[in-house]
Amino acid sequence: KKEYQRMDSDIAMHLNIPSVWKTFEDYQNNLKRKYRNRAKSTRKGFGQVTTRALDINEIISYKKEMHDLYKQVTKNQVVSMGELSEDYIAELKKSLGEKYQVTGFFIKENTVEKMIAFSSAIIHDGVHDMNYIGFDYAMNQKYSLYFNMLFHCVECAIGNRCSKLLLGRTALEAKAIIGCEPDYLYTFYRLKSRFLNEIVKNITKRFETRLGEGWENRHPFKAEYYEGQ
């Protein structure tokens, strides 16, 4: 209907995972040399970071730190659909159990362990569906946190024998670099207020500008991968 506006550039990113991939090295070996070398270099610089799955007790123990890291991410987003409570991750873990995987990323400062990032994912129907994340922006450059978190998602999806990894919206180029492809979503909205309508239009323009077009030219896999899809 004419009174509904279509939200353009609403894109989510996904990675199809061939059944022959059994390890992260299988994924890595399917990358073109440039991207394979980049992946190796990025992960090598992550050697000082400890990664581990968090159980419900640890999630509750670290809930404040996780919430602070999550807020660092939301503050850097063009559009934020509200803010989670500190208890959200823990409650979701209680509800979904083993289907909800939460990972903490830690470094040691003077023998004290400090959380610098976390990621979470819902595992369902052969899909590794990345949920909320958080990371320390000051540590991002030193440890390539975001890219290493994406690579960790790939590794977990393969380890969980999933056929697809869903990484959602935002940071399209980073996700395209690791091999993701777009899902074009068609979202329609209707606003009665002209004032709100203008605000949404301006936000949409800013969002499209932030997305850029560089991600569309990223094809990191060897030809054999795309031929098999």
Side-chain angles (χ1 to χ4, degrees):
K1 293 183 178 180
K2 290 183 179 180
E3 61 264 33
Y4 285 86
Q5 303 293 321
R6 196 180 94 174
M7 185 178 292
D8 295 322
S9 301
D10 191 7
I11 300 169
M13 302 294 277
H14 76 273
L15 175 67
N16 290 323
I17 301 175
S19 58
V20 294
W21 289 1
K22 305 301 181 185
T23 65
F24 184 83
E25 285 65 33
D26 293 330
Y27 154 80
Q28 201 166 251
N29 290 336
N30 273 265
L31 295 171
K32 296 174 185 175
R33 180 182 297 178
K34 169 185 171 181
Y35 292 94
R36 184 169 64 251
N37 290 341
R38 179 174 182 167
K40 288 180 179 179
S41 175
T42 299
R43 282 167 64 85
K44 185 177 181 181
F46 209 54
Q48 298 177 35
V49 179
T50 302
T51 303
R52 71 168 183 269
L54 304 180
D55 60 27
I56 184 60
N57 293 325
E58 287 182 297
I59 293 171
I60 293 172
S61 174
Y62 283 107
K63 71 176 183 179
K64 185 181 185 306
E65 289 89 339
M66 293 170 68
H67 191 66
D68 289 341
L69 293 169
Y70 151 76
K71 287 197 294 185
Q72 287 196 45
V73 173
T74 60
K75 286 178 181 177
N76 283 275
Q77 291 177 332
V78 176
V79 179
S80 178
M81 305 299 287
E83 183 177 308
L84 303 180
S85 75
E86 282 191 10
D87 296 312
Y88 177 86
I89 302 294
E91 291 302 318
L92 200 55
K93 180 64 174 177
K94 291 176 184 176
S95 176
L96 297 180
E98 293 302 313
K99 293 181 179 180
Y100 190 53
Q101 296 184 355
V102 182
T103 302
F105 301 85
F106 303 88
I107 59 171
K108 279 194 175 181
E109 291 186 342
N110 300 322
T111 71
V112 177
E113 192 175 59
K114 176 184 178 181
M115 178 182 283
I116 58 173
F118 78 90
S119 67
S120 60
I122 299 173
I123 315 301
H124 62 92
D125 304 314
V127 174
H128 187 98
D129 193 347
M130 183 171 153
N131 198 243
Y132 287 97
I133 67 168
F135 61 91
D136 187 331
Y137 272 74
M139 295 287 184
N140 186 42
Q141 187 171 3
K142 181 177 181 180
Y143 295 110
S144 297
L145 272 178
Y146 188 65
F147 271 106
N148 273 300
M149 291 167 71
L150 292 180
F151 285 137
H152 180 264
C153 284
V154 174
E155 187 171 23
C156 288
I158 295 172
N160 288 323
R161 298 293 184 263
C162 293
S163 59
K164 181 175 284 191
L165 168 63
L166 301 182
L167 291 178
R169 301 167 171 84
T170 72
L172 301 189
E173 185 166 9
K175 293 168 184 176
I177 285 172
I178 71 164
C180 287
E181 297 179 357
D183 285 326
Y184 294 94
L185 309 176
Y186 298 97
T187 304
F188 296 84
Y189 65 92
R190 180 170 69 96
L191 297 172
K192 294 181 179 180
S193 166
R194 288 185 178 181
F195 176 71
L196 288 177
N197 195 50
E198 288 302 315
I199 290 176
V200 170
K201 285 182 179 179
N202 289 331
I203 291 174
T204 301
K205 287 179 181 178
R206 288 174 57 200
F207 185 67
E208 291 175 358
T209 301
R210 285 279 293 271
L211 286 180
E213 298 178 351
W215 65 272
E216 296 177 324
N217 300 316
R218 298 286 187 175
H219 306 288
F221 289 115
K222 297 174 183 176
E224 295 79 13
Y225 171 85
Y226 298 108
E227 291 168 358
Q229 298 305 306

